Every structure is written in structure tokens, then in C-alpha cells.
Amino acid sequence: MSATLDNKPVEFWKPITVKAGQVNLPACTTTAPTHDPAPAAPADPDLIPDYPDHWEIGVLYGPHGAPDFFTEASIEKFFEQDWEVHYNSNRLGIRLNGPKPEFTRADGGEAGLHPSNIHDCEYAIGSINFTGDMPVILTKDGPSLGGFVCPVTIAKAELWKVGQVKPGDTIRFVSIENDTAVKLSERQELAIKSLMAPPAVDLAKPDLAPLNGLSATILAHLEETDGRPEVSYRQAGDQYILLEYGPNVMDLGFRLRIHALMEAIADVQPAGLLELSPGVRSLQLRYDARILPQHALMEYLLDLEATLPPTDELKVRSRVIHLPMAFEDSATLEAVDKYRQSVRDTAPWLPNNVDFMQRINGLPSREAVRDILFSARYLVLGLGDVYLGTPWLLRFFDQVCYYPVTEAELDEMRDQFRAGQLTVKIEEETFDLKSHQAFLDANAGSIADFRKMQQAAYAKEIARWKDNETDELDRLAKAPPKADLSGLEKFGELVSAEIAGNIWKCLVKPGDTVAEGDPLMIVEAMKMEFEVNATLAGEISAMHVQPGKAVTPGEPLLSIKI
């Protein structure tokens, strides 16, 4: 990249005088002075970063490590390995190519087929998230919660490096202590204020070996007692702590206890505790270490835990909300087709999600899936912006009931709602954990019979999945071949890909006339759609890609002839 002022090159990292009316490229935003500015000095040379092809990035171990999720050898290999930046990386997440991890679990149990699956929890910014066997660095535009393990989290002061990596670069992750990460952050802030390079910080490496059978990611652990499940406090970078209740099983008592803890924190929330984000059996706490050091936050949480009531005495207000649903509507089926085209074409849950749900639960028919869907109540345990935004209506512990409608009826009801003419049926209740447990006890026999059938079907599905998963992951890791650019100039002006992704839809064809700014095609990347627009007016002279093709930045998509 270069910069110019009135078409004359200028140097980076040195002040320049700009007068009104001059044109500078690339464009930048500054505050207009109200008087003649004082002369500025060049940046301290020690502050000017390098932009290499190989990066070292400081990370904190956790929240999920060895031996509970990964083997110790796998964690050691993670830090010894140079990871290659995948071609399909962007502002939502940086995919990495490298060795397959070794997990200590055969599968995710209730949470999913793969051993990387866990009950939904919150993701810290900078988490390295294993979605199956492939690691992804989650950035600020990425998902805030999900159901995959994260063995390390990038230190706040090191996150800038993630924004500079490009496909093909390699990264070596360096384990650092929390105190070191805080010092790096303080050094960064001082450098910004002074525009001078402060003294370097010694990157002391922590001991990552488990202690007394517990992962080094765990800052504190409380054993189960009468009235309270076990509690683990996991390190999740230098800005977050992930608190978990109980073992890795679904238990509504754990979620209710999270709710009770959040209410207790609201009564006596310390300065520096910025945000609380609950998951299925976890609570992520975001804090400012400059105001509230990690050790002080831990003391506060441990003291507060001792004040909570027994879990089986917990109750919470709950609303029963009745919502319409069209079963297997065209939008859902189109989303599956899109996934097959832009992500992967084969998986246990493909080509049809309902068939997969029937198989993995051991149900006799597709109709049984539908009947359960419309007869059950669904308790809201988490809300977040995975990719769709926080739901407008729902609250924690709402009970959602669906009733069947046709697709045409659903469209009409949506129009009525937008016009303020649709009334959603809502009933007020109290969710009492003790009463719920009595219901489970009364139906223990039939529940046990269903789970036995379900587990047998689940085991078959895991075997089916493992047969082809390795080959599929190898295929996904490979970058598409480089495009041949020779001879394309004869077609006119090239429109090229700006990000890595997959072509979802081509909205034009050769011979079509377009105006500048018209949409041409849609690129899918990390479950987001990005529109490609015409850079000039003219006629589409050639298409260089088709739907389903993986593309890299700079790859030609189509040509426009003026």
C-alpha cells in the first residue's frame, strides 16, 4: 500500500502538512484544527511495527485445556506449531491450518457429535475456537457465543496483530501469564499517550501442566456440596473469566444458579466489572483489569458464591409465549442448500436436517420429529448475537411453544406484526425447580427408556460421521487453485473479490446491462453475505466464477465492458 498527496508520494509514520482542498489517498479522517497546528514530530522508530510473514502472538491459556478437553501432548504441540492463515479468513474469524488436535473425549456427549462440542457458552474476543478440528481466531465481528472449545485467548495488547495477518502467513502462539498480559496492555496505552516506546515487557511463560488433576486454565475450583454444584473459574484472556457450574451435562439447576448469581452481582457490582453474559451452564464476566485486577475479582466471586441459596430452592418468573412456525418452509430449505453449496456438501445432518434429527434420536418417522417439535415447550437459557442479533421478544427462562401454520399464513402474520396488528399470546407463570424435578421423577421410567433408545441411535450416528469426516476436513483446508489472469483484459474492466469466501449467488449474466453500484453477486463468508457491486456502468461481458466456487481476495469474478 502507498499514500499520495495531490498524486505525489508521501512517507508513512511522518507528519505532513495538508491544506484545504488537497486530495490524499488512501483517505484518512482527521480533526480539523481551529488554528495553525504546532509542528509534529515523526513517530518514535521503535513504535513502528513490522509486518512480517511470520508472527508471534501472545495468548493466555484457557478457558478450555488439558486434561478435561485436550491431551497435554496436544496443548504442547499447539504452542510448538506454526499455524498457517487459511485463505477463507476475514473480519469475522481467522481460520488456521495445522495439525489435528488430540481430544480426551470421544465425542461431545449431549452437546454434539464432535469432541470439540460443549454446551453453549460465551466467547471472549480473541478466543481461538476449535470448530471441530479446525481452529478459528474469533475477532470483534465474530460470534459472541457458541458450542465449541477454546484452548487459548489472545491477550488484549496483541489483538492488533490479528488485523494484519493475511492468507499464507504463519503464526506461532506464545503462552504468557495474566500479569504479563496486563503489563503489555499498560505499555500499549502509555505508548499511545506519549508516542514514545516504553521499556519492553519480559514475556514470562507460565506452567501449563495440570495441578492436582485440574487444568491450569482453572483459577479456582469449588467441590460440590449439599445445595451447590461444583464450580470452576476459568481464565479466558486478560479481560474475561468464565465461570462454570457442574459437570458437562444439561441441568436446569445450573442455569438457575447462574441467574441467582447474576442477581446477587447486580446488588453489589464492583467497579470495573463491565458485563455479564450467561450460557447454558456458564457465566462469562468481562472486566477492566486496570480497575478490578483478576485476583480481586476472584475474591469477590468466591465470597459471593457462599451467599447464594441452595439450588433446589430456586424459582424464577417465566412467560409462556406462543409463536407460529412453518415446518420445513422454503427459507429453511434454501438455507440448507446454501450451506451445502458454500460450506460443505456432505455431513451427517445433510441433505435434510429433519432426517438427521429422526436418525440421531432413534425416532420412527419424520412425523415424530414434527409432533415433538409442536408439543414441547422450549426454555430460553441464552440470548446473544451469534449472527442474527438478540431476539426482540424473549427473556431468560421464557417458555416458547410453537403452533403450526402454513408458509403463506406465516408471511401474512409477519406483515400483521410489522403493522402492529398481531397479538402474541403470552401467559405468566413461575418456573419452580423443585416442581420440575418432581415431574422428572414421576416420569423417570419413560425418560430412561427414551434415552436408552436415543443413545443407541447416537452411537450409530457417530460411527457414520467418523467414516468420512477426516477426508472432508482435508478438502476444506485446501486453498482453491490460483486463477489464471492471462487474457482477461480483452473482456474489459475486471471486478475482483475483496474477501475470501464462496460464491453464493450470481445476480447477473453475460449480456446484462448494469449501472455503477448495481449488485452483481453475493459472496458468503463465515455465515455472512457480502454483496459485490458494479464498479462502473456497462455490459457484463464475461463471468469468471460460478455459484459454489471458493474465491480468494483479488480473484477475478466477472468483467464489464463499457
Side-chain angles (χ1 to χ4, degrees):
M1 179 183 289
S2 60
T4 62
L5 182 64
D6 286 344
N7 295 320
K8 296 180 180 179
V10 295
E11 294 184 72
F12 286 114
W13 304 106
K14 291 185 178 179
I16 58 174
T17 301
V18 180
K19 298 178 181 178
Q22 289 186 296
V23 178
N24 59 311
L25 295 173
C28 61
T29 302
T30 60
T31 301
T34 56
H35 55 81
D36 290 337
D44 184 342
D46 290 335
L47 279 181
I48 300 175
D50 294 323
Y51 299 98
D53 296 327
H54 175 76
W55 297 81
E56 289 192 356
I57 298 180
V59 299
L60 287 84
Y61 187 31
H64 308 112
D68 36 6
F69 298 100
F70 298 87
T71 65
E72 292 183 57
S74 185
I75 293 299
E76 291 174 3
K77 185 182 294 185
F78 177 88
F79 287 107
E80 295 169 354
Q81 172 73 27
D82 288 340
W83 297 87
E84 181 185 15
V85 176
H86 191 272
Y87 74 92
N88 192 0
S89 296
N90 50 52
R91 66 188 187 185
L92 303 175
I94 309 296
R95 298 176 187 259
L96 303 172
N97 290 329
K100 181 178 178 179
E102 298 172 359
F103 294 97
T104 53
R105 305 182 301 164
D107 55 68
E110 297 174 342
L113 295 174
H114 196 276
S116 65
N117 288 133
I118 55 176
H119 294 112
D120 276 15
C121 70
E122 305 68 28
Y123 295 146
I125 294 173
S127 295
I128 299 182
N129 177 251
F130 272 84
T131 54
D133 293 328
M134 174 175 278
V136 180
I137 303 174
L138 301 181
T139 57
K140 288 195 174 184
D141 285 345
S144 63
L145 77 161
F148 295 100
V149 293
C150 302
V152 301
T153 306
I154 296 173
K156 178 184 177 183
E158 296 283 274
L159 280 171
W160 70 270
K161 297 177 181 178
V162 176
Q164 305 302 321
V165 300
K166 58 187 182 299
D169 283 1
T170 56
I171 300 174
R172 175 69 64 94
F173 295 106
V174 179
S175 177
I176 62 175
E177 295 178 340
N178 179 72
D179 288 346
T180 301
V182 173
K183 291 177 182 176
L184 286 173
S185 184
E186 292 171 345
R187 180 182 185 273
Q188 187 178 68
E189 291 181 13
L190 180 59
I192 292 172
K193 290 179 181 179
S194 67
L195 295 182
M196 298 295 293
V201 175
D202 180 28
L203 301 183
K205 294 186 178 181
D207 183 1
L208 304 185
L211 181 64
N212 299 325
L214 294 176
S215 172
T217 64
I218 296 178
L219 302 172
H221 180 80
L222 301 177
E223 295 292 342
E224 180 181 4
T225 65
D226 288 339
R228 189 202 69 208
E230 65 175 298
V231 195
S232 296
Y233 301 83
R234 297 179 176 273
Q235 182 168 257
D238 54 333
Q239 302 179 84
Y240 304 87
I241 288 175
L242 183 67
L243 181 153
E244 291 179 342
Y245 280 123
N248 286 297
V249 295
M250 174 69 75
D251 188 319
L252 294 181
F254 301 160
R255 183 60 184 85
L256 279 169
R257 194 166 185 89
I258 290 290
H259 184 71
L261 176 61
M262 292 176 65
E263 290 187 326
I265 289 174
D267 290 338
V268 286
Q269 184 162 336
L273 182 52
L274 306 178
E275 185 179 27
L276 306 177
S277 303
V280 171
R281 46 177 284 269
S282 60
L283 178 66
Q284 182 169 273
L285 303 102
R286 183 168 68 91
Y287 66 100
D288 186 339
R290 298 170 301 178
I291 302 171
L292 183 63
Q294 186 187 81
H295 67 86
L297 177 55
M298 282 301 306
E299 291 176 6
Y300 164 79
L301 292 173
L302 291 169
D303 289 343
L304 196 61
E305 179 63 37
T307 69
L308 299 183
T311 302
D312 61 4
E313 296 179 4
L314 296 174
K315 300 178 182 180
V316 65
R317 291 185 63 186
S318 177
R319 303 178 304 166
V320 181
I321 301 177
H322 300 261
L323 297 177
M325 175 184 286
F327 186 71
E328 280 206 301
D329 61 299
S330 59
T332 300
L333 296 176
E334 182 181 2
V336 174
D337 288 341
K338 174 184 174 183
Y339 180 89
R340 295 185 65 186
Q341 185 181 103
S342 62
V343 180
R344 57 187 295 179
D345 187 47
T346 60
W349 50 90
L350 297 174
N352 187 279
N353 289 176
V354 176
D355 292 342
F356 171 67
M357 293 170 68
Q358 176 192 342
R359 290 197 317 268
I360 200 169
N361 287 286
L363 298 174
S365 65
R366 289 168 50 88
E367 288 70 28
V369 176
R370 184 182 187 278
D371 291 344
I372 291 174
L373 179 65
F374 287 116
S375 63
R377 287 187 180 186
Y378 299 88
L379 193 66
V380 176
L381 299 182
L383 297 168
D385 60 342
V386 181
Y387 288 104
L388 305 176
T390 302
W392 55 269
L393 175 66
L394 302 179
R395 303 173 188 166
F396 296 128
F397 300 105
D398 280 345
Q399 301 172 61
V400 180
C401 300
Y402 295 106
Y403 59 92
V405 296
T406 66
E407 192 168 341
E409 289 172 334
L410 183 61
D411 289 339
E412 182 180 354
M413 295 172 83
R414 285 171 171 167
D415 290 339
Q416 291 174 350
F417 176 77
R418 294 187 188 100
Q421 299 171 350
L422 180 70
T423 300
V424 176
K425 182 180 177 182
I426 299 177
E427 303 165 297
E428 296 286 345
E429 288 188 3
T430 297
F431 185 83
D432 183 339
L433 188 59
K434 190 170 291 186
S435 298
H436 177 69
Q437 187 59 51
F439 167 83
L440 296 179
D441 293 341
N443 294 274
S446 62
I447 292 173
D449 290 342
F450 177 81
R451 284 184 171 171
K452 183 178 179 180
M453 176 185 69
Q454 187 184 52
Q455 282 300 314
Y458 183 83
K460 290 181 181 179
E461 201 62 31
I462 286 181
R464 170 191 174 102
W465 164 71
K466 287 185 176 179
D467 286 343
N468 59 19
E469 186 67 4
T470 299
D471 291 342
E472 180 65 17
L473 288 173
D474 289 342
R475 184 190 68 80
L476 292 173
K478 293 178 181 177
K482 293 287 186 180
D484 183 6
L485 303 181
S486 60
L488 296 184
E489 63 276 359
K490 66 184 179 184
F491 294 108
E493 182 78 13
L494 273 178
V495 177
S496 302
E498 295 183 353
I499 62 172
N502 291 272
I503 303 302
W504 165 227
K505 286 183 179 179
C506 294
L507 307 176
V508 294
K509 62 184 184 300
D512 287 351
T513 300
V514 297
E516 182 177 351
D518 281 356
L520 305 175
M521 61 180 60
I522 297 174
V523 177
E524 188 276 339
M526 299 290 284
K527 300 184 182 178
M528 297 285 285
E529 296 179 3
F530 299 88
E531 195 172 79
V532 178
N533 302 105
T535 54
L536 74 168
E539 180 182 303
I540 303 298
S541 54
M543 302 291 293
H544 307 306
V545 295
Q546 297 298 325
K549 186 180 187 309
V551 295
T552 56
E555 185 167 344
L557 303 177
L558 54 79
S559 294
I560 301 176
K561 184 167 288 186
I562 301 176

